[in-house]
Amino acid sequence: QVQLVESGGGSVQAGGSLRLSCAASGRTFSGNVVAWFRLAPGKEREFVATISWRGDSTTYTDSVKGRFTISRDNAKNTVYLQMNSLKPEDTAVYYCAARRSGWVALATDEDSYVYWGQGTQVTVSS
């Protein structure tokens, strides 16, 4: 069992930056594909970014390409989401999620992820 804990959320003005962290406990998740999703008010939860277990492959949703960067430090059992040039439409609760160990394909659908954190709020004001 992998427990995930997000941190780093907060309130910023448009154009600002935040770095979210997703720390794993219970056991290492160095062998797991990890993703970030977000849930905005009145919308369905959507995929944001995902990273391979080695950290050598990433995928992003179009709306964050060039602004967000997902990375991981397996020695620290942590995945990061660096968010730059934030926009009000980025306001949401951000969740990290992990696939089962050994499922190495990157995935953008929620159903592919079995471990979820509790979420961290990001608010971007104009």
Side-chain angles (χ1 to χ4, degrees):
Q1 186 74 9
V2 177
Q3 289 84 42
L4 305 177
V5 178
E6 302 96 335
S7 61
S11 296
V12 296
Q13 290 191 328
S17 298
L18 284 173
R19 188 177 80 157
L20 306 183
S21 297
C22 173
S25 62
R27 67 172 182 81
T28 178
F29 71 171
S30 61
N32 301 75
V33 169
V34 177
W36 287 93
F37 289 80
R38 64 186 180 186
L39 179 61
K43 297 185 177 181
E44 294 186 350
R45 189 157 57 183
E46 67 168 348
F47 165 78
V48 177
T50 185
I51 188 166
S52 61
W53 69 273
R54 289 178 175 170
D56 57 354
S57 182
T58 57
T59 298
Y60 299 89
T61 191
D62 286 346
S63 62
V64 308
K65 285 180 181 177
R67 300 189 299 122
F68 290 11
T69 302
I70 188 171
S71 62
R72 67 191 300 163
D73 185 338
N74 286 338
K76 295 183 178 180
N77 234 18
T78 303
V79 171
Y80 304 97
L81 185 68
Q82 178 67 45
M83 304 186 297
N84 299 328
S85 302
L86 282 161
K87 304 176 180 180
E89 51 263 44
D90 295 318
T91 294
V93 177
Y94 284 71
Y95 299 88
C96 70
R99 301 198 73 186
R100 293 190 190 281
S101 180
W103 293 75
V104 300
L106 299 186
T108 61
D109 62 295
E110 290 184 40
D111 291 342
S112 293
Y113 295 84
V114 296
Y115 305 112
W116 291 83
Q118 83 291 346
T120 185
Q121 176 71 47
V122 171
T123 303
V124 185
S125 58
S126 57

